[in-house]
Amino acid sequence: MQPLPTTFVEAPRLSALTGAEVLLVSETFQHGGSFKYRAAHHVASHVAASTIVCASSGNFGQAMALACKLVGKRCVVVMPETSARVKIEAVRALGATVELIDTRVVTREARVAELVAASPGAYTASAFDDPLVIEGNASLGRELAGSGRAFDAVLVPIGGGGLSSGILSGLRRAGSEAAVFAAEPALANDAARSLREGRRVALESEPRTIADGARTRCVGVHPWAILKDGLAGIVEVSEEAIGRAVYLAFAHANLKLEPTGALAIAALLEDPARFARRRVVCVCSGGNVDADLYRSLLETYAPA
Amino acid sequence: MQPLPTTFVEAPRLSALTGAEVLLVSETFQHGGSFKYRAAHHVASHVAASTIVCASSGNFGQAMALACKLVGKRCVVVMPETSARVKIEAVRALGATVELIDTRVVTREARVAELVAASPGAYTASAFDDPLVIEGNASLGRELAGSGRAFDAVLVPIGGGGLSSGILSGLRRAGSEAAVFAAEPALANDAARSLREGRRVALESEPRTIADGARTRCVGVHPWAILKDGLAGIVEVSEEAIGRAVYLAFAHANLKLEPTGALAIAALLEDPARFARRRVVCVCSGGNVDADLYRSLLETYAPA
């Protein structure tokens, strides 16, 4: 099952609000509800191994489980035992084996290494630091470049850098010179600090941003090689801008986004001057958010 | 500004839940956030009058205001003075004149007639009972037929019948023989009763269903001419099924729907046996719902 084409959503009301000419590109209707299936499908269909092991309590684990199921591979997903029950069940429902760990006792990486050692020939799938992941995500850059739509800039959420580096390389190979900006939670600004220092900088501990897809401590080696000279800039966004972006996508574009998926819109709110009057594509990377959290964001950020 | 093409959303989790092969067709990203722009655009660009008068406190008023603005016509929208402030402001922001009425003193129809009498040559736009409205909505039927997707049945919300009759005629003219079913709130079952009795039956008073786009008392004359022999059936849905459908679209398809927009999914929940193993297109007609109501639906219908 190939990845689905992305969904373009016009957003005149967000344009009026931000001063940019905004076009939303939504991966919320992708298989699994986020862009992650693009990479997972590419990995599952390109590695020879019959078993794939990964660590993810979020969208990547589900996407990998789905992709493995479809190509007939075994999939093992390492998740903290504190993960939401609904996420654990979703991965199991897709036929994957879930390995629950107590993160106070063993790290995800260590448990993945143990499992791979116990299953010779198994492939360790990183959610972002893998050329196959970047190549899978590049399909979205190619789609944008080939869409026939004109744009000056693309705003992309950044966590480990797999999506932004993929879009960047996909755009460039398809001949687009549009500027690519990353949108990163200020609480998890390893990528912004890396760009300033010209080298990969890691956070001391896992950041607590509400954008759970961007809680990586450091940009991956492979994404960094593409991003360090390719990115036009990184906008660091406040938690408040993220929450407000989730609300505005709901109220002004009928789009249900998870906090990470709203980072690009949040960047427009955070730094409108930078994008004023430019034709900006905001990549909305995913929509999987619990009803409880979503309700509380609507309650907090809707104007009284 | 032409109507936007509709958005197809795959829904494997809704398929698993209902036993049908479900494909969602969403008009929530249409100009104005609902299918109504299709009709409004067709009316505004086909009548000679320079002033268009309509009565609507919902999606049709906004769509008509937008369409008139774009073709340079004057638009007057009659709304009850009890309408939500945000809806009144939205119509005004689009350049239309809002005429607020006290519905205990004057009916919408009477006030529209007064305004048209005072503005010779003005066109009275019905939200559903007008061949131009049906023709505008037929574009969605043509799109479905021409999408290259295979389906056995189409489920469409019904209020005044403008959308269902439009889709039906668009499908048939494009050569599709797919069965068309209407989805109607049981609290507002004038269309179902009309179909049973073989003649247009009107409700005594405005029904109180949460699906505010289906609060019409009677199917229109023009839609009825198409629907009476063309519809394969009408599914009457409970208020509970509507609320549950809004939640399931959120949780299982990342789709934000207003209650009326969720009627087709609600019909699948109400009568799964009728659609089991059939390839069913559910038309999700609109997404404009207040944050407060949406939050309360998520709270009520999310599993504990």
Side-chain angles (χ1 to χ4, degrees):
Chain A
M1 189 166 69
Q2 293 294 318
L4 293 168
T6 199
T7 302
F8 292 92
V9 176
E10 314 269 341
R13 295 171 68 191
L14 291 178
S15 299
L17 203 84
T18 61
E21 277 184 45
V22 183
L23 175 65
L24 306 179
V25 157
S26 182
E27 286 284 292
T28 60
F29 307 121
Q30 185 54 265
H31 298 305
S34 88
F35 76 98
K36 293 282 186 185
Y37 184 76
R38 292 179 183 265
H41 171 268
H42 198 74
V43 170
S45 51
H46 281 79
V47 301
S50 60
T51 297
I52 294 179
V53 183
C54 67
S56 163
S57 54
N59 289 327
F60 186 64
Q62 286 192 45
M64 203 72 237
L66 176 60
C68 284
K69 180 185 174 187
L70 294 170
V71 299
K73 299 196 182 211
R74 192 169 157 254
C75 182
V76 184
V77 182
V78 173
M79 301 173 83
E81 61 188 13
T82 52
S83 304
R85 185 63 33 192
V86 57
K87 295 194 172 178
I88 296 170
E89 292 310 323
V91 171
R92 283 196 179 129
L94 291 166
T97 303
V98 173
E99 284 283 332
L100 294 176
I101 57 166
D102 179 344
T103 52
R104 294 164 306 184
V105 176
V106 61
T107 67
R108 287 155 233 228
E109 295 70 27
R111 185 66 185 128
V112 167
E114 276 175 24
L115 289 163
V116 170
S119 177
Y123 187 83
T124 306
S126 161
F128 54 88
D129 205 359
D130 181 333
L132 289 174
V133 163
I134 296 170
E135 183 57 30
N137 293 333
S139 61
L140 182 50
R142 287 198 301 275
E143 266 186 68
L144 295 179
S147 68
R149 294 165 187 264
F151 49 89
D152 308 307
V154 181
L155 258 164
V156 193
I158 192 165
L163 180 59
S164 48
S165 60
I167 287 180
L168 190 45
S169 64
L171 283 170
R172 293 296 176 263
R173 274 184 286 150
S176 167
E177 291 302 322
V180 176
F181 292 86
E184 185 174 47
L187 283 184
N189 67 347
D190 57 288
R193 288 164 60 187
S194 299
L195 210 62
R196 280 195 286 275
E197 298 193 21
R199 62 179 184 89
R200 290 166 66 235
V201 175
L203 301 174
E204 304 278 303
S205 58
E206 187 170 291
R208 285 161 311 161
T209 170
I210 193 175
D212 56 359
R215 282 185 198 149
T216 41
R217 292 179 46 232
C218 188
V219 169
V221 172
H222 296 286
W224 176 247
I226 294 166
L227 296 171
K228 66 182 167 50
D229 299 315
L231 271 190
I234 299 185
V235 182
E236 296 173 59
V237 306
S238 67
E239 297 296 292
E240 206 210 322
I242 299 170
R244 198 160 156 249
V246 169
Y247 168 73
L248 292 174
F250 169 92
H252 294 338
N254 279 342
L255 196 59
K256 175 205 169 192
L257 297 179
E258 61 184 87
T260 310
L263 277 168
I265 296 172
L268 278 186
L269 303 175
E270 194 73 53
D271 193 359
R274 175 137 45 158
F275 301 100
R277 289 175 300 283
R278 295 175 78 176
R279 296 167 299 181
V280 180
V281 169
C282 288
V283 176
C284 301
S285 54
N288 299 330
V289 51
D290 288 345
D292 284 351
L293 173 58
Y294 198 73
R295 280 199 293 119
S296 86
L297 290 173
L298 292 187
E299 185 167 17
T300 306
Y301 292 99
Chain B
M1 190 166 68
Q2 293 293 318
L4 293 168
T6 199
T7 302
F8 291 92
V9 176
E10 314 269 341
R13 295 172 69 191
L14 291 178
S15 299
L17 203 84
T18 60
E21 277 184 45
V22 182
L23 175 66
L24 306 179
V25 158
S26 183
E27 285 285 291
T28 59
F29 307 120
Q30 185 54 262
H31 298 303
S34 89
F35 76 97
K36 293 283 187 184
Y37 183 76
R38 291 178 184 266
H41 171 267
H42 198 74
V43 169
S45 51
H46 281 78
V47 301
S50 60
T51 296
I52 294 180
V53 183
C54 67
S56 164
S57 54
N59 289 326
F60 185 64
Q62 286 191 45
M64 204 70 238
L66 176 59
C68 284
K69 179 184 173 186
L70 294 171
V71 299
K73 298 196 182 212
R74 191 169 157 254
C75 182
V76 184
V77 182
V78 173
M79 302 173 82
E81 60 187 13
T82 52
S83 303
R85 184 68 25 197
V86 57
K87 295 193 172 177
I88 296 170
E89 291 310 323
V91 170
R92 284 196 180 131
L94 291 166
T97 303
V98 174
E99 284 283 332
L100 294 175
I101 56 167
D102 179 344
T103 53
R104 293 164 307 183
V105 176
V106 62
T107 66
R108 286 157 234 228
E109 296 70 26
R111 184 67 185 129
V112 167
E114 277 174 22
L115 290 163
V116 170
S119 177
Y123 187 83
T124 307
S126 161
F128 54 88
D129 205 358
D130 182 333
L132 289 175
V133 163
I134 296 171
E135 183 57 30
N137 292 333
S139 61
L140 182 50
R142 287 198 301 274
E143 265 187 68
L144 294 179
S147 68
R149 295 166 186 264
F151 49 89
D152 307 309
V154 181
L155 258 163
V156 193
I158 193 166
L163 180 60
S164 49
S165 60
I167 287 180
L168 190 45
S169 64
L171 283 169
R172 293 295 177 265
R173 274 184 285 151
S176 168
E177 290 303 322
V180 175
F181 293 85
E184 186 174 46
L187 283 184
N189 68 347
D190 57 288
R193 287 164 61 189
S194 299
L195 211 62
R196 279 195 287 275
E197 299 194 20
R199 61 179 184 90
R200 289 167 65 237
V201 175
L203 302 173
E204 304 278 304
S205 58
E206 187 169 290
R208 286 160 310 162
T209 171
I210 192 174
D212 56 359
R215 282 184 197 149
T216 41
R217 291 179 48 229
C218 189
V219 168
V221 171
H222 296 284
W224 177 247
I226 294 167
L227 295 171
K228 65 182 168 47
D229 300 314
L231 272 189
I234 298 186
V235 182
E236 295 173 61
V237 305
S238 66
E239 297 295 292
E240 205 210 324
I242 298 171
R244 201 162 153 246
V246 169
Y247 169 74
L248 292 174
F250 169 92
H252 293 339
N254 280 342
L255 196 58
K256 175 205 170 191
L257 297 179
E258 62 185 84
T260 310
L263 276 168
I265 297 172
L268 277 186
L269 302 175
E270 194 75 53
D271 193 359
R274 175 141 38 161
F275 301 100
R277 289 176 299 284
R278 296 175 78 176
R279 295 168 299 183
V280 180
V281 169
C282 288
V283 176
C284 302
S285 54
N288 300 331
V289 52
D290 288 344
D292 284 351
L293 174 58
Y294 198 73
R295 282 200 292 119
S296 86
L297 290 173
L298 292 187
E299 183 166 18
T300 306
Y301 292 99

